[in-house]
Short mmCIF file of all heavy atoms in Angstrom, two decimals:
data_model
loop_
_atom_site.label_atom_id
_atom_site.label_comp_id
_atom_site.label_asym_id
_atom_site.label_seq_id
_atom_site.Cartn_x
_atom_site.Cartn_y
_atom_site.Cartn_z
N MET A 740 35.22 -6.52 3.44
CA MET A 740 33.80 -6.85 3.29
C MET A 740 33.25 -6.15 2.04
O MET A 740 33.47 -4.97 1.82
CB MET A 740 33.04 -6.40 4.52
CG MET A 740 31.59 -6.76 4.48
SD MET A 740 30.83 -6.43 6.07
CE MET A 740 29.29 -5.78 5.55
N THR A 741 32.54 -6.88 1.23
CA THR A 741 31.94 -6.36 0.01
C THR A 741 30.49 -6.01 0.26
O THR A 741 29.78 -6.76 0.93
CB THR A 741 32.02 -7.41 -1.12
OG1 THR A 741 33.37 -7.79 -1.28
CG2 THR A 741 31.48 -6.87 -2.40
N THR A 742 30.06 -4.90 -0.29
CA THR A 742 28.66 -4.51 -0.20
C THR A 742 28.04 -4.63 -1.59
O THR A 742 28.60 -4.13 -2.56
CB THR A 742 28.52 -3.06 0.30
OG1 THR A 742 29.13 -2.95 1.58
CG2 THR A 742 27.07 -2.66 0.40
N ILE A 743 26.93 -5.31 -1.67
CA ILE A 743 26.22 -5.48 -2.94
C ILE A 743 25.30 -4.29 -3.13
O ILE A 743 24.42 -4.04 -2.31
CB ILE A 743 25.41 -6.79 -2.95
CG1 ILE A 743 26.27 -7.99 -2.54
CG2 ILE A 743 24.75 -7.00 -4.31
CD1 ILE A 743 27.48 -8.22 -3.41
N SER A 744 25.50 -3.55 -4.20
CA SER A 744 24.70 -2.35 -4.43
C SER A 744 23.28 -2.70 -4.85
O SER A 744 23.01 -3.74 -5.43
CB SER A 744 25.36 -1.47 -5.49
OG SER A 744 25.42 -2.16 -6.71
N SER A 745 22.40 -1.78 -4.55
CA SER A 745 21.00 -1.92 -4.93
C SER A 745 20.86 -1.70 -6.43
O SER A 745 21.52 -0.84 -7.01
CB SER A 745 20.17 -0.88 -4.18
OG SER A 745 18.87 -0.82 -4.71
N PRO A 746 19.95 -2.43 -7.06
CA PRO A 746 19.69 -2.22 -8.49
C PRO A 746 18.80 -1.01 -8.78
O PRO A 746 18.53 -0.70 -9.93
CB PRO A 746 19.01 -3.52 -8.92
CG PRO A 746 18.41 -4.06 -7.68
CD PRO A 746 19.27 -3.61 -6.55
N CYS A 747 18.39 -0.31 -7.75
CA CYS A 747 17.48 0.83 -7.91
C CYS A 747 18.11 1.90 -8.79
O CYS A 747 19.28 2.28 -8.62
CB CYS A 747 17.15 1.42 -6.55
SG CYS A 747 16.01 2.82 -6.65
N ILE A 748 17.33 2.39 -9.76
CA ILE A 748 17.78 3.49 -10.61
C ILE A 748 16.87 4.72 -10.45
O ILE A 748 16.84 5.60 -11.30
CB ILE A 748 17.86 3.08 -12.10
CG1 ILE A 748 16.49 2.65 -12.62
CG2 ILE A 748 18.88 1.96 -12.29
CD1 ILE A 748 16.43 2.55 -14.14
N ASN A 749 16.09 4.73 -9.36
CA ASN A 749 15.20 5.83 -9.03
C ASN A 749 14.09 6.05 -10.06
O ASN A 749 13.67 7.17 -10.30
CB ASN A 749 15.98 7.12 -8.80
CG ASN A 749 16.87 7.02 -7.59
OD1 ASN A 749 16.45 6.52 -6.55
ND2 ASN A 749 18.10 7.46 -7.72
N TRP A 750 13.63 4.99 -10.67
CA TRP A 750 12.44 5.00 -11.51
C TRP A 750 11.51 3.98 -10.90
O TRP A 750 11.47 2.82 -11.30
CB TRP A 750 12.77 4.66 -12.95
CG TRP A 750 11.56 4.60 -13.85
CD1 TRP A 750 10.33 5.16 -13.63
CD2 TRP A 750 11.46 3.93 -15.11
NE1 TRP A 750 9.47 4.89 -14.67
CE2 TRP A 750 10.15 4.13 -15.60
CE3 TRP A 750 12.34 3.19 -15.87
CZ2 TRP A 750 9.70 3.62 -16.81
CZ3 TRP A 750 11.88 2.68 -17.07
CH2 TRP A 750 10.59 2.89 -17.54
N CYS A 751 10.79 4.39 -9.89
CA CYS A 751 9.99 3.48 -9.08
C CYS A 751 8.52 3.50 -9.52
O CYS A 751 7.77 4.41 -9.16
CB CYS A 751 10.11 3.83 -7.60
SG CYS A 751 11.82 3.86 -7.03
N ASP A 752 8.18 2.51 -10.33
CA ASP A 752 6.82 2.39 -10.84
C ASP A 752 6.60 0.91 -11.12
O ASP A 752 7.38 0.30 -11.85
CB ASP A 752 6.67 3.22 -12.11
CG ASP A 752 5.24 3.39 -12.56
OD1 ASP A 752 4.31 3.13 -11.76
OD2 ASP A 752 5.03 3.77 -13.73
N ILE A 753 5.57 0.33 -10.56
CA ILE A 753 5.33 -1.09 -10.68
C ILE A 753 4.45 -1.39 -11.89
O ILE A 753 3.39 -0.79 -12.06
CB ILE A 753 4.67 -1.66 -9.39
CG1 ILE A 753 5.57 -1.39 -8.18
CG2 ILE A 753 4.36 -3.14 -9.54
CD1 ILE A 753 6.94 -2.05 -8.23
N ASP A 754 4.89 -2.32 -12.70
CA ASP A 754 4.13 -2.77 -13.87
C ASP A 754 2.97 -3.62 -13.36
O ASP A 754 3.18 -4.66 -12.73
CB ASP A 754 5.04 -3.60 -14.77
CG ASP A 754 4.38 -4.04 -16.06
OD1 ASP A 754 3.13 -4.14 -16.11
OD2 ASP A 754 5.12 -4.31 -17.02
N PRO A 755 1.73 -3.21 -13.62
CA PRO A 755 0.58 -3.97 -13.11
C PRO A 755 0.44 -5.35 -13.75
O PRO A 755 -0.20 -6.23 -13.18
CB PRO A 755 -0.62 -3.09 -13.44
CG PRO A 755 -0.16 -2.19 -14.52
CD PRO A 755 1.32 -2.02 -14.37
N GLU A 756 1.05 -5.56 -14.90
CA GLU A 756 0.93 -6.85 -15.57
C GLU A 756 1.78 -7.93 -14.94
O GLU A 756 1.37 -9.08 -14.84
CB GLU A 756 1.28 -6.72 -17.05
CG GLU A 756 0.25 -5.93 -17.83
CD GLU A 756 0.56 -5.91 -19.32
OE1 GLU A 756 1.22 -6.84 -19.82
OE2 GLU A 756 0.14 -4.94 -19.96
N ASN A 757 3.00 -7.57 -14.50
CA ASN A 757 3.89 -8.61 -13.95
C ASN A 757 4.35 -8.34 -12.52
O ASN A 757 4.97 -9.19 -11.91
CB ASN A 757 5.11 -8.82 -14.86
CG ASN A 757 5.92 -7.57 -15.07
OD1 ASN A 757 5.92 -6.67 -14.24
ND2 ASN A 757 6.63 -7.51 -16.18
N GLY A 758 4.06 -7.16 -11.99
CA GLY A 758 4.42 -6.83 -10.62
C GLY A 758 5.87 -6.41 -10.43
O GLY A 758 6.34 -6.29 -9.30
N TYR A 759 6.59 -6.19 -11.53
CA TYR A 759 7.99 -5.78 -11.45
C TYR A 759 8.10 -4.27 -11.60
O TYR A 759 7.37 -3.64 -12.36
CB TYR A 759 8.83 -6.42 -12.57
CG TYR A 759 8.80 -7.92 -12.60
CD1 TYR A 759 8.88 -8.60 -13.80
CD2 TYR A 759 8.70 -8.68 -11.43
CE1 TYR A 759 8.87 -9.99 -13.84
CE2 TYR A 759 8.68 -10.06 -11.47
CZ TYR A 759 8.76 -10.71 -12.68
OH TYR A 759 8.74 -12.08 -12.72
N CYS A 760 9.08 -3.70 -10.90
CA CYS A 760 9.38 -2.29 -11.04
C CYS A 760 9.91 -2.03 -12.45
O CYS A 760 10.75 -2.78 -12.95
CB CYS A 760 10.43 -1.88 -10.00
SG CYS A 760 11.00 -0.18 -10.17
N PHE A 761 9.43 -0.99 -13.11
CA PHE A 761 9.90 -0.66 -14.45
C PHE A 761 11.38 -0.28 -14.44
O PHE A 761 12.08 -0.48 -15.43
CB PHE A 761 9.10 0.52 -15.03
CG PHE A 761 7.74 0.15 -15.53
CD1 PHE A 761 6.61 0.56 -14.84
CD2 PHE A 761 7.57 -0.59 -16.68
CE1 PHE A 761 5.34 0.24 -15.30
CE2 PHE A 761 6.30 -0.92 -17.15
CZ PHE A 761 5.19 -0.50 -16.45
N GLY A 762 11.86 0.26 -13.34
CA GLY A 762 13.25 0.70 -13.27
C GLY A 762 14.24 -0.39 -12.98
O GLY A 762 15.25 -0.54 -13.67
N CYS A 763 13.97 -1.21 -11.97
CA CYS A 763 14.96 -2.20 -11.53
C CYS A 763 14.51 -3.65 -11.71
O CYS A 763 15.29 -4.56 -11.48
CB CYS A 763 15.35 -1.95 -10.08
SG CYS A 763 14.01 -2.26 -8.89
N PHE A 764 13.26 -3.86 -12.08
CA PHE A 764 12.71 -5.19 -12.32
C PHE A 764 12.53 -6.03 -11.05
O PHE A 764 12.33 -7.24 -11.14
CB PHE A 764 13.53 -5.97 -13.36
CG PHE A 764 13.40 -5.41 -14.74
CD1 PHE A 764 14.26 -4.44 -15.20
CD2 PHE A 764 12.38 -5.85 -15.58
CE1 PHE A 764 14.13 -3.91 -16.47
CE2 PHE A 764 12.24 -5.33 -16.86
CZ PHE A 764 13.13 -4.35 -17.30
N ARG A 765 12.61 -5.40 -9.88
CA ARG A 765 12.34 -6.14 -8.64
C ARG A 765 10.86 -6.11 -8.32
O ARG A 765 10.13 -5.22 -8.76
CB ARG A 765 13.11 -5.53 -7.45
CG ARG A 765 14.59 -5.71 -7.53
CD ARG A 765 15.29 -5.13 -6.32
NE ARG A 765 15.19 -3.67 -6.32
CZ ARG A 765 15.58 -2.90 -5.32
NH1 ARG A 765 16.09 -3.44 -4.21
NH2 ARG A 765 15.47 -1.60 -5.39
N THR A 766 10.42 -7.07 -7.51
CA THR A 766 9.05 -7.07 -6.99
C THR A 766 9.01 -6.15 -5.77
O THR A 766 10.06 -5.78 -5.21
CB THR A 766 8.61 -8.48 -6.56
OG1 THR A 766 9.46 -8.90 -5.48
CG2 THR A 766 8.67 -9.47 -7.71
N LEU A 767 7.82 -5.81 -5.33
CA LEU A 767 7.69 -4.98 -4.12
C LEU A 767 8.34 -5.64 -2.91
O LEU A 767 8.98 -4.97 -2.11
CB LEU A 767 6.23 -4.67 -3.83
CG LEU A 767 5.57 -3.62 -4.73
CD1 LEU A 767 4.08 -3.52 -4.43
CD2 LEU A 767 6.24 -2.27 -4.56
N SER A 768 8.19 -6.95 -2.78
CA SER A 768 8.79 -7.62 -1.63
C SER A 768 10.31 -7.62 -1.73
O SER A 768 11.00 -7.47 -0.72
CB SER A 768 8.24 -9.04 -1.46
OG SER A 768 8.56 -9.83 -2.58
N GLU A 769 10.86 -7.77 -2.93
CA GLU A 769 12.32 -7.71 -3.09
C GLU A 769 12.85 -6.33 -2.75
O GLU A 769 13.91 -6.18 -2.13
CB GLU A 769 12.72 -8.09 -4.51
CG GLU A 769 12.53 -9.56 -4.81
CD GLU A 769 12.63 -9.90 -6.28
OE1 GLU A 769 12.47 -9.01 -7.14
OE2 GLU A 769 12.87 -11.09 -6.57
N ILE A 770 12.10 -5.30 -3.13
CA ILE A 770 12.49 -3.92 -2.81
C ILE A 770 12.45 -3.71 -1.30
O ILE A 770 13.39 -3.19 -0.70
CB ILE A 770 11.57 -2.92 -3.53
CG1 ILE A 770 11.81 -2.99 -5.06
CG2 ILE A 770 11.79 -1.50 -3.02
CD1 ILE A 770 10.76 -2.27 -5.89
N ALA A 771 11.34 -4.12 -0.68
CA ALA A 771 11.16 -3.93 0.76
C ALA A 771 12.18 -4.70 1.59
O ALA A 771 12.65 -4.23 2.63
CB ALA A 771 9.75 -4.32 1.17
N ASP A 772 12.54 -5.89 1.15
CA ASP A 772 13.44 -6.76 1.91
C ASP A 772 14.92 -6.50 1.65
O ASP A 772 15.77 -7.04 2.36
CB ASP A 772 13.16 -8.23 1.58
CG ASP A 772 11.78 -8.68 2.04
OD1 ASP A 772 11.19 -8.01 2.90
OD2 ASP A 772 11.31 -9.71 1.52
N TRP A 773 15.25 -5.69 0.64
CA TRP A 773 16.64 -5.55 0.18
C TRP A 773 17.63 -5.31 1.32
O TRP A 773 18.66 -5.97 1.40
CB TRP A 773 16.75 -4.43 -0.85
CG TRP A 773 18.12 -4.34 -1.44
CD1 TRP A 773 19.11 -3.47 -1.10
CD2 TRP A 773 18.67 -5.20 -2.43
NE1 TRP A 773 20.24 -3.71 -1.83
CE2 TRP A 773 19.99 -4.78 -2.67
CE3 TRP A 773 18.19 -6.28 -3.16
CZ2 TRP A 773 20.83 -5.39 -3.59
CZ3 TRP A 773 19.01 -6.89 -4.08
CH2 TRP A 773 20.32 -6.45 -4.28
N SER A 774 17.34 -4.39 2.21
CA SER A 774 18.31 -4.04 3.27
C SER A 774 18.51 -5.16 4.27
O SER A 774 19.51 -5.18 4.99
CB SER A 774 17.90 -2.76 3.98
OG SER A 774 16.65 -2.92 4.61
N ASN A 775 17.60 -6.12 4.32
CA ASN A 775 17.72 -7.24 5.26
C ASN A 775 18.31 -8.50 4.63
O ASN A 775 18.53 -9.49 5.33
CB ASN A 775 16.34 -7.57 5.85
CG ASN A 775 15.80 -6.43 6.68
OD1 ASN A 775 16.52 -5.82 7.45
ND2 ASN A 775 14.53 -6.13 6.50
N LEU A 776 18.55 -8.49 3.32
CA LEU A 776 19.09 -9.66 2.65
C LEU A 776 20.59 -9.79 2.87
O LEU A 776 21.29 -8.79 2.99
CB LEU A 776 18.82 -9.59 1.14
CG LEU A 776 17.36 -9.55 0.68
CD1 LEU A 776 17.30 -9.41 -0.84
CD2 LEU A 776 16.62 -10.79 1.14
N SER A 777 21.06 -11.02 2.89
CA SER A 777 22.50 -11.27 2.96
C SER A 777 23.09 -10.95 1.58
O SER A 777 22.37 -10.83 0.59
CB SER A 777 22.77 -12.73 3.31
OG SER A 777 22.37 -13.57 2.24
N ASP A 778 24.42 -10.84 1.51
CA ASP A 778 25.05 -10.57 0.23
C ASP A 778 24.76 -11.67 -0.78
O ASP A 778 24.51 -11.39 -1.95
CB ASP A 778 26.57 -10.41 0.39
CG ASP A 778 26.96 -9.05 0.95
OD1 ASP A 778 26.08 -8.16 1.06
OD2 ASP A 778 28.15 -8.87 1.25
N SER A 779 24.73 -12.92 -0.35
CA SER A 779 24.44 -14.01 -1.29
C SER A 779 22.99 -13.93 -1.78
O SER A 779 22.72 -14.22 -2.95
CB SER A 779 24.73 -15.38 -0.66
OG SER A 779 23.91 -15.61 0.45
N GLU A 780 22.08 -13.53 -0.91
CA GLU A 780 20.69 -13.36 -1.34
C GLU A 780 20.56 -12.20 -2.32
O GLU A 780 19.81 -12.29 -3.30
CB GLU A 780 19.79 -13.13 -0.13
CG GLU A 780 19.63 -14.36 0.75
CD GLU A 780 18.93 -14.07 2.06
OE1 GLU A 780 19.20 -13.00 2.68
OE2 GLU A 780 18.14 -14.92 2.49
N LYS A 781 21.29 -11.12 -2.07
CA LYS A 781 21.27 -9.98 -3.00
C LYS A 781 21.82 -10.38 -4.36
O LYS A 781 21.27 -9.99 -5.40
CB LYS A 781 22.08 -8.81 -2.42
CG LYS A 781 21.40 -8.14 -1.24
CD LYS A 781 22.27 -7.04 -0.68
CE LYS A 781 21.59 -6.40 0.53
NZ LYS A 781 22.40 -5.35 1.14
N LEU A 782 22.88 -11.15 -4.37
CA LEU A 782 23.43 -11.63 -5.64
C LEU A 782 22.41 -12.51 -6.37
O LEU A 782 22.30 -12.45 -7.60
CB LEU A 782 24.73 -12.40 -5.41
CG LEU A 782 25.93 -11.55 -5.00
CD1 LEU A 782 27.11 -12.44 -4.63
CD2 LEU A 782 26.32 -10.58 -6.11
N GLY A 783 21.67 -13.28 -5.62
CA GLY A 783 20.61 -14.10 -6.22
C GLY A 783 19.53 -13.25 -6.86
O GLY A 783 19.03 -13.57 -7.94
N VAL A 784 19.17 -12.16 -6.20
CA VAL A 784 18.18 -11.24 -6.77
C VAL A 784 18.74 -10.64 -8.05
O VAL A 784 18.06 -10.56 -9.07
CB VAL A 784 17.79 -10.13 -5.77
CG1 VAL A 784 16.93 -9.06 -6.44
CG2 VAL A 784 17.05 -10.72 -4.57
N TRP A 785 20.01 -10.21 -8.03
CA TRP A 785 20.65 -9.65 -9.23
C TRP A 785 20.58 -10.63 -10.39
O TRP A 785 20.30 -10.25 -11.53
CB TRP A 785 22.10 -9.27 -8.95
CG TRP A 785 22.27 -7.85 -8.49
CD1 TRP A 785 22.55 -7.44 -7.22
CD2 TRP A 785 22.21 -6.67 -9.29
NE1 TRP A 785 22.66 -6.06 -7.18
CE2 TRP A 785 22.45 -5.57 -8.44
CE3 TRP A 785 21.97 -6.44 -10.62
CZ2 TRP A 785 22.45 -4.25 -8.91
CZ3 TRP A 785 21.96 -5.13 -11.09
CH2 TRP A 785 22.21 -4.05 -10.23
N GLU A 786 20.83 -11.91 -10.13
CA GLU A 786 20.77 -12.92 -11.19
C GLU A 786 19.35 -13.04 -11.74
O GLU A 786 19.15 -13.16 -12.95
CB GLU A 786 21.25 -14.27 -10.67
CG GLU A 786 22.74 -14.30 -10.39
CD GLU A 786 23.19 -15.60 -9.74
OE1 GLU A 786 22.39 -16.56 -9.65
OE2 GLU A 786 24.35 -15.65 -9.31
N THR A 787 18.38 -13.00 -10.85
CA THR A 787 16.98 -13.07 -11.26
C THR A 787 16.62 -11.86 -12.12
O THR A 787 15.89 -11.99 -13.11
CB THR A 787 16.07 -13.12 -10.01
OG1 THR A 787 16.41 -14.28 -9.25
CG2 THR A 787 14.60 -13.18 -10.40
N LEU A 788 17.14 -10.70 -11.75
CA LEU A 788 16.83 -9.48 -12.51
C LEU A 788 17.36 -9.55 -13.93
O LEU A 788 16.71 -9.06 -14.86
CB LEU A 788 17.41 -8.25 -11.80
CG LEU A 788 16.91 -7.99 -10.38
CD1 LEU A 788 17.57 -6.75 -9.81
CD2 LEU A 788 15.41 -7.89 -10.34
N GLU A 789 18.52 -10.14 -14.10
CA GLU A 789 19.08 -10.28 -15.45
C GLU A 789 18.15 -11.12 -16.33
O GLU A 789 17.94 -10.80 -17.50
CB GLU A 789 20.47 -10.90 -15.39
CG GLU A 789 21.51 -10.02 -14.71
CD GLU A 789 21.64 -8.64 -15.36
OE1 GLU A 789 21.63 -8.56 -16.60
OE2 GLU A 789 21.72 -7.67 -14.60
N VAL A 790 17.58 -12.17 -15.76
CA VAL A 790 16.62 -13.02 -16.51
C VAL A 790 15.38 -12.21 -16.83
O VAL A 790 14.88 -12.24 -17.97
CB VAL A 790 16.29 -14.29 -15.71
CG1 VAL A 790 15.17 -15.08 -16.37
CG2 VAL A 790 17.52 -15.15 -15.51
N ARG A 791 14.85 -11.49 -15.87
CA ARG A 791 13.63 -10.70 -16.09
C ARG A 791 13.86 -9.65 -17.17
O ARG A 791 12.99 -9.43 -18.02
CB ARG A 791 13.20 -10.01 -14.80
CG ARG A 791 12.66 -10.97 -13.77
CD ARG A 791 12.30 -10.25 -12.49
NE ARG A 791 11.97 -11.21 -11.45
CZ ARG A 791 11.92 -10.93 -10.16
NH1 ARG A 791 12.17 -9.70 -9.73
NH2 ARG A 791 11.62 -11.86 -9.29
N LYS A 792 14.99 -8.97 -17.11
CA LYS A 792 15.29 -7.94 -18.12
C LYS A 792 15.36 -8.54 -19.52
O LYS A 792 14.83 -7.97 -20.47
CB LYS A 792 16.62 -7.25 -17.80
CG LYS A 792 16.57 -6.31 -16.64
CD LYS A 792 17.94 -5.70 -16.40
CE LYS A 792 17.99 -4.97 -15.08
NZ LYS A 792 19.31 -4.40 -14.81
N SER A 793 16.00 -9.68 -19.64
CA SER A 793 16.14 -10.31 -20.96
C SER A 793 14.78 -10.76 -21.49
O SER A 793 14.53 -10.73 -22.69
CB SER A 793 17.13 -11.48 -20.91
OG SER A 793 16.62 -12.54 -20.16
N GLN A 794 13.90 -11.19 -20.61
CA GLN A 794 12.56 -11.62 -21.03
C GLN A 794 11.68 -10.43 -21.41
O GLN A 794 10.78 -10.56 -22.23
CB GLN A 794 11.90 -12.43 -19.93
CG GLN A 794 12.54 -13.78 -19.71
CD GLN A 794 11.98 -14.51 -18.51
OE1 GLN A 794 11.27 -13.96 -17.67
NE2 GLN A 794 12.31 -15.79 -18.42
N ALA A 795 11.97 -9.27 -20.82
CA ALA A 795 11.19 -8.07 -21.10
C ALA A 795 11.56 -7.47 -22.44
O ALA A 795 10.80 -6.69 -23.01
CB ALA A 795 11.38 -7.05 -19.98
N GLY A 796 12.74 -7.82 -22.94
CA GLY A 796 13.15 -7.32 -24.24
C GLY A 796 13.88 -6.08 -24.13
O GLY A 796 14.23 -5.12 -24.24
#
């Protein structure tokens, strides 16, 4: 069984402009729901984060 690691880097501060964490680029709901997500859902969040990071520059 594979465990998908959390993207958290312990820099927890939400950007008021876009609602994303400055550290991991997740939304508050993605952070709160992380432990309840399936592995496929977690992988989906990871894919979304890559897009958000690239858009942030």
Side-chain angles (χ1 to χ4, degrees):
M740 183 171 141
T741 304
T742 301
I743 309 301
S744 62
S745 169
C747 181
I748 62 166
N749 295 317
W750 177 20
C751 304
D752 192 16
I753 301 298
D754 184 336
E756 290 185 26
N757 59 26
Y759 302 147
C760 174
F761 283 109
C763 67
F764 291 90
R765 291 182 291 172
T766 63
L767 284 174
S768 62
E769 289 168 340
I770 293 168
D772 294 341
W773 185 260
S774 62
N775 296 317
L776 298 177
S777 68
D778 282 351
S779 63
E780 291 170 320
K781 289 177 181 179
L782 289 173
V784 172
W785 269 106
E786 290 174 10
T787 301
L788 300 180
E789 294 303 318
V790 172
R791 290 178 189 164
K792 287 179 191 179
S793 68
Q794 291 174 346

